[in-house]
């Protein structure tokens, strides 16, 4: 059975999908950033992002790049890379993901194997509409310690604590970064030209 959740972002939820079918779909879409697949024990969400979705996803990536440059941090961004484990039949492709504390452990790797490699130190998800599936249990099962979730009005930071996510006003991966600051920067992006907004991001980062 297929359920269409949002025509704006073209989200489709399929049920009774085998792990083998999921793997074949991933193989067919290798090296493509869209569509993005989330698999949860037989349920498969297929999402093709809208231009607005990607505008703010790109804005968050720019903020991280500027932070890395201004604070001399080694941060490895792996975009919408696939993270999965067959033993628990769960997998996801975030909008963006970053390694900070574990950057050295994945540096130069062409493939991430969660049986030996760490998950990203934090991931970014843009959710303008109600998701077709609660992805937090998937992230928790795969050991993602931090999730940034932007809903178009607020960027919230969630930390994994005892198997569940709790909201925090500050990042653990980047302790100088507060969710309120990220929200303000993304709000400014709505009304600013990109070049002037980028200068503002750099001024903010230099003040941390």
């Amino acid at each position: 059975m297929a359920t269409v959740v949002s025509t704006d972002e073209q989200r489709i939820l399929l049920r009774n999908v085998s792990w083998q079918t999921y793997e074949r779909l991933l193989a067919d879409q290798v090296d493509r950033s869209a569509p993005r697949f989330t698999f949860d024990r037989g349920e498969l969400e297929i999402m093709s992002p809208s231009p607005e979705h990607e505008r703010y996803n790109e804005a968050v990536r720019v903020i991280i790049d500027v932070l890395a440059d201004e604070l001399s941090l080694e941060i490895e961004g792996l975009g919408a890379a696939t993270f999965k484990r067959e033993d628990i039949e769960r997998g996801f492709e975030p909008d963006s993901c970053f390694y900070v504390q574990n950057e050295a452990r994945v540096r130069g790797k062409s493939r991430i194997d969660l049986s030996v490699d760490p998950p990203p130190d934090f991931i970014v998800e843009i959710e303008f509409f109600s998701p077709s599936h609660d992805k937090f249990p998937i992230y928790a099962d795969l050991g993602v310690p931090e999730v940034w979730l932007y809903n178009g009005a607020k960027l919230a930071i969630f930390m994994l604590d005892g198997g569940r996510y709790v909201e925090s006003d500050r990042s653990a991966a980047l302790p100088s970064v507060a969710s309120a600051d990220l929200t303000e920067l993304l709000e400014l992006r709505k009304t600013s030209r990109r070049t002037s907004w980028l200068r503002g991001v750099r001024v903010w980062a230099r003040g941390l």
Side-chain angles (χ1 to χ4, degrees):
M1 178 183 295
T3 302
V4 178
V5 180
S6 167
T7 55
D8 292 328
E9 291 190 347
Q10 297 180 335
R11 291 177 182 266
I12 298 175
L13 182 64
L14 303 174
R15 296 182 174 84
N16 301 316
V17 178
S18 69
W19 181 265
Q20 292 72 26
T21 298
Y22 169 57
E23 292 272 29
R24 286 196 295 270
L25 287 168
L26 290 175
D28 288 342
Q29 300 294 324
V30 68
D31 295 329
R32 297 183 184 180
S33 61
R36 294 175 193 148
F37 299 104
T38 301
F39 188 84
D40 187 9
R41 297 175 293 193
E43 292 193 345
L44 176 67
E45 182 192 83
I46 304 172
M47 191 275 282
S48 294
S50 67
E52 183 182 23
H53 181 286
E54 289 300 84
R55 181 176 295 114
Y56 292 103
N57 187 33
E58 190 262 353
V60 174
R61 288 198 299 261
V62 168
I63 292 170
I64 300 304
D65 286 343
V66 171
L67 273 172
D69 185 37
E70 292 295 332
L71 302 183
S72 299
L73 299 173
E74 294 296 337
I75 299 178
E76 183 72 44
L78 295 186
T82 302
F83 299 91
K84 57 187 172 68
R85 277 179 48 188
E86 184 176 3
D87 59 324
I88 59 175
E89 291 196 330
R90 282 180 154 168
F92 71 93
E93 294 170 333
D95 288 321
S96 295
C97 67
F98 300 91
Y99 286 86
V100 187
Q101 286 76 14
N102 286 305
E103 179 272 336
R105 293 181 60 186
V106 300
R107 188 185 304 156
K109 288 199 169 188
S110 59
R111 179 174 174 271
I112 302 297
D113 179 354
L114 291 182
S115 67
V116 294
D117 299 316
D121 291 306
F122 70 98
I123 66 171
V124 177
E125 291 290 356
I126 311 297
E127 294 282 6
F128 293 129
F129 306 96
S130 297
S132 60
H133 191 88
D134 182 5
K135 298 177 184 177
F136 274 28
I138 303 174
Y139 305 150
D141 247 8
L142 295 179
V144 178
E146 184 172 334
V147 178
W148 294 11
L149 181 63
Y150 181 61
N151 66 5
K154 174 186 176 181
L155 191 146
I157 296 174
F158 296 90
M159 311 298 302
L160 186 61
D161 182 12
R164 57 188 290 270
Y165 287 96
V166 295
E167 189 169 353
S168 172
D169 61 359
R170 191 165 293 272
S171 170
L174 298 167
S176 60
V177 175
S179 59
D181 291 339
L182 294 169
T183 297
E184 183 176 351
L185 289 171
L186 292 174
E187 283 297 301
L188 287 172
R189 181 68 183 93
K190 295 177 180 180
T191 57
S192 303
R193 293 187 177 183
R194 190 179 188 280
T195 51
S196 60
W197 175 77
L198 184 56
R199 286 193 294 269
V201 173
R202 195 166 292 278
V203 169
W204 165 75
R206 288 173 179 170
L208 294 178

